[in-house]
Amino acid sequence: MKQRLNTAAAAAAVLLAGAAGSPALSGAVDGEIAQIQVLDGGMTKRGTYLGALKVTLQPGWKTYWRAPGDAGIPPSFSWRGARNVGELSITWPSPEVFLTSGYRTIGYHDQLVLPVEITPETPGKPVRLKGRMQLGVCKDVCVPAELSFDHQLDSSAGRNPAIAAALASRPWSAREAGVRKASCSLRPTEYGMKVTARISMPSAGGEEVAVIEPGTPNLFAGETATRREGGLLVAETEFLPADSNAYAIDRSQLRITVLGKNHAVDIQGCSAG
């Protein structure tokens, strides 16, 4: 996922709406429940800075992936105050699937290390990574958290094992996972658009859960139903408009993630089918 520096953070109302149907939403998060720090990973061979946002949770607490599932709270970021940041790319480690009170959510428990690669606007000048991360954390209750960070990245830092482990745990690409074909059919519904993805791929292990992301902020996806038909994985969801404006679905921008027992798979785009 690539985003520009001026990416806006989601409003607090989004956090509240994202928790609908989840355990009771409490007030502001206690700083002891979730803490954040910036890790240094030095410079890459491409001349970019490598760092990470490390979120540490108290035992038993969890937070959410970018597509949090039925009742999770999606994280969002503000990079206000950052300096010499041109392009910024985030790598999400493979998440876990949780089932709580009958709701399926997707995220991480105890800790999240989120690698961040930064292309400086001015090569050779220092990069200051400053901003806020808004996220939800849950245990017996769910609470919204806003964690601030401010750190000048160390260009001379060496390999960071925590960042390396997070990068290694990313989902496999479609090629790495042996995906032969991914096609998507679209059918209008009363309120939105039903999307059916048919993916020719080996099993990712155990019970597979697919997530289909629309690739545009104008749409949001409902729960995805996933089933196996031999060598074919079939995933179905409904895209609903975020407002009353007209929308279009670009199949090349759809993102399908398959979460399995052995590994996860990241599929970028699908053909008509």
Side-chain angles (χ1 to χ4, degrees):
M1 177 185 71
K2 292 185 177 180
Q3 56 190 92
R4 302 301 297 177
L5 176 60
N6 61 357
T7 299
V14 173
L15 294 176
L16 296 173
S22 65
L25 187 70
S26 182
V29 68
D30 187 329
E32 295 183 355
I33 294 175
Q35 297 181 335
I36 193 168
Q37 67 181 116
V38 178
L39 304 181
D40 280 300
M43 300 289 291
T44 70
K45 294 179 180 179
R46 295 183 295 278
T48 59
Y49 283 78
L50 185 61
L53 300 178
K54 179 182 179 181
V55 178
T56 303
L57 306 172
Q58 285 294 308
W61 288 80
K62 63 185 179 184
T63 190
Y64 295 101
W65 186 51
R66 63 171 189 265
D70 299 346
I73 302 171
S76 60
F77 305 86
S78 167
W79 309 104
R80 185 184 300 273
R83 295 290 183 268
N84 197 27
V85 175
E87 193 169 79
L88 184 149
S89 176
I90 294 175
T91 299
W92 291 87
S94 297
E96 301 176 56
V97 178
F98 303 103
L99 189 62
T100 306
S101 302
Y103 293 97
R104 188 179 72 194
T105 56
I106 303 172
Y108 311 89
H109 72 275
D110 298 339
Q111 178 179 281
L112 166 62
V113 176
L114 202 57
V116 178
E117 186 174 353
I118 297 166
T119 302
E121 287 184 335
T122 306
K125 297 290 186 180
V127 168
R128 179 182 179 186
L129 194 61
K130 181 180 180 179
R132 292 174 289 115
M133 180 178 182
Q134 295 177 318
L135 68 161
V137 292
C138 289
K139 191 177 181 183
D140 300 321
V141 297
C142 289
V143 295
E146 183 172 278
L147 305 176
S148 299
F149 51 89
D150 185 359
H151 179 74
Q152 182 167 304
L153 294 177
D154 182 1
S155 60
S156 65
R159 179 182 181 274
N160 188 303
I163 298 178
L167 290 171
S169 70
R170 65 166 177 77
W172 292 7
S173 68
R175 181 176 181 180
E176 290 169 333
V179 175
R180 292 178 289 277
K181 183 180 180 182
S183 63
C184 296
S185 60
L186 309 177
R187 180 173 61 83
T189 63
E190 182 178 0
Y191 299 107
M193 187 75 68
K194 182 177 181 180
V195 181
T196 301
R198 294 176 174 82
I199 309 163
S200 178
M201 60 174 281
S203 173
E207 180 181 357
E208 296 165 299
V209 173
V211 179
I212 306 176
E213 298 172 77
T216 171
N218 299 327
L219 297 170
F220 64 92
E223 180 181 1
T224 302
T226 312
R227 67 180 186 273
R228 265 281 167 189
E229 295 180 357
L232 198 66
L233 186 72
V234 181
E236 295 181 314
T237 191
E238 183 179 17
F239 287 167
L240 300 172
D243 50 42
S244 59
N245 295 326
Y247 64 89
I249 296 176
D250 182 352
R251 288 181 176 84
S252 69
Q253 296 301 308
L254 301 187
R255 188 172 190 176
I256 306 169
T257 305
V258 180
L259 305 172
K261 180 180 178 181
N262 298 335
H263 55 261
V265 185
D266 186 7
I267 303 167
Q268 304 280 345
C270 51
S271 61

